[in-house]
Amino acid sequence: MNKATLIQKALVVGVCTAIGFGGVMASGEATPTAQAASVSAKGDQIVNLGKQYMGTPYKFGVTTKTTKYFDCSSFTKYIFGKYGIDLPRTSVKQSKVGRAVSKSDLRVGDLVFFSSGSRANGSNVTHVAVYAGGGKILHTYGSPGVTISDLNSGNWKRTYLKARRVL
């Protein structure tokens, strides 16, 4: 490594450390801790964007070209898409992307899947939501439209199937 490259890398590390990005190594690559912080920040951004649509009406099968209405999967497709994550259109297809995570390991921004509603048989995916932290999910269904619900009570506790991490 020549002197100029060494000085440049030292400056990058020094500046990043000074502004709070101590997870950047001399190679310029983020450490796992810095990567996790970045993923967490993206999850928070996605949830915060979704919260801006609280109360937006639910309409099953709605086009993904509108924000006037959402169904569960058009909502997740839209808010993740704004941050560069292109999800499939349906909850069934969304349930197959990313990697599986346990309910006890959920992070903000994880997709959570349910078998609920009139099309449910107890094992088929019929609904998707975004884990919002603190045992809450951000999603849309029925009369409340976009809303926040408790993952660990009532219908959502009973009909929970699995979770996937796409961030």
Side-chain angles (χ1 to χ4, degrees), residues 119-143:
R119 296 174 294 120
N121 66 17
S123 62
N124 63 324
V125 170
T126 60
H127 187 68
V128 61
V130 181
Y131 186 68
K136 304 293 183 188
I137 56 172
L138 175 67
H139 61 139
T140 184
Y141 73 97
S143 63

Side-chain angles (χ1 to χ4, degrees), residues 18 24 27 34 39 44 73 83 88 95-96 101 110-111 114 121 135 144 148:
V24 176
S27 68
V39 166
D44 288 336
S73 58
Y83 289 94
S95 74
K96 297 174 183 173
V101 292
D110 286 342
L111 295 172
F114 304 87
N121 66 17
I148 294 176

Side-chain angles (χ1 to χ4, degrees), residues 36-95:
S38 175
V39 166
S40 176
K42 188 173 272 195
D44 288 336
Q45 291 172 327
I46 289 167
V47 168
N48 288 336
L49 173 63
K51 286 179 180 177
Q52 293 177 23
Y53 292 93
M54 293 286 285
T56 299
Y58 173 88
K59 186 174 182 181
F60 181 75
V62 70
T63 176
T64 58
K65 298 186 187 318
T66 183
T67 58
K68 187 175 179 180
Y69 303 97
F70 291 109
D71 69 11
C72 64
S73 58
S74 73
F75 179 63
T76 53
K77 182 172 178 58
Y78 177 78
I79 62 176
F80 278 81
K82 287 295 183 180
Y83 289 94
I85 295 111
D86 185 26
L87 295 176
R89 172 60 182 92
T90 67
S91 58
V92 171
K93 289 183 180 176
Q94 288 178 13
S95 74

